[in-house]
Amino acid sequence: MKVAFIIGHTEKSKGAVNVLNGLKEFDYYKEVCKILDFDVYEHDKNISGYTTRIKETASRVNKKDYDLVMSLHFNSFKGSANGCETLYYFNSNFGKRYAKLWNTFFSNKTKIKDRGIKALANKNDRGFAVLKYVNATTILIEPFFGSNINDCKKVDVCLMAELLNQFIELNKKPY
């Protein structure tokens, strides 16, 4: 199975903070991806405008024929929230399957609550553009809440890389 990763956010806008180690989403996944042996894409920090930036990334990703693309993120919430959720493009049956497979796999391995999968159909939904403009089956993972110390304790950088590798190995054959 040919897989690629897109690191969420950019060098300029790094996303949520992991309260355990202080790493923001962008930096956390840069570290994770150093361990992985797959194609990794970053959004161009110099392109202004969210959708324009995502479309440019998608155009680079779309030059190769991937079976699965995973956009890497984690959640944050001011208050009490925890768990894993995965987003997919609303009319992608493969996206829905991979989202469910990932959530179940990740939750079982880490004992982080499975918050479910979510279909995105509205262009105003956060994460919609990467799911829409990348041609390959694409899921956007939010495996834990960086604002929740207990979630963060369950998944350090090395374990996240290991789990991504295991997930891909277990799901080698595309549907």
Side-chain angles (χ1 to χ4, degrees), residues 108-174:
N108 287 341
K109 290 288 188 177
T110 62
K111 304 305 179 213
I112 290 176
K113 174 181 157 184
D114 184 342
R115 294 171 56 94
I117 62 174
K118 293 174 178 59
L120 298 189
N122 183 320
K123 69 177 183 176
N124 295 319
D125 290 336
R126 290 175 55 134
F128 176 82
V130 74
L131 301 175
K132 177 178 173 57
Y133 295 113
V134 173
N135 293 339
T137 298
T138 304
I139 60 175
L140 189 155
I141 66 170
E142 301 266 16
F144 64 96
F145 275 77
S147 54
N148 184 295
I149 191 99
N150 292 321
D151 273 11
C152 293
K153 285 179 181 177
K154 293 177 182 177
V155 60
D156 65 17
V157 165
C158 291
L159 180 59
M160 179 58 76
E162 181 181 325
L163 292 175
L164 287 165
N165 271 323
Q166 286 178 18
F167 174 75
I168 292 162
E169 184 64 28
L170 287 170
N171 296 285
K172 273 186 189 178
K173 296 180 183 174

Side-chain angles (χ1 to χ4, degrees), residues 94-113:
F94 293 145
K96 183 177 183 179
R97 288 180 192 162
Y98 279 117
K100 182 65 178 159
L101 286 168
W102 167 257
N103 255 41
T104 300
F105 169 81
F106 186 83
S107 184
N108 287 341
K109 290 288 188 177
T110 62
K111 304 305 179 213
I112 290 176
K113 174 181 157 184

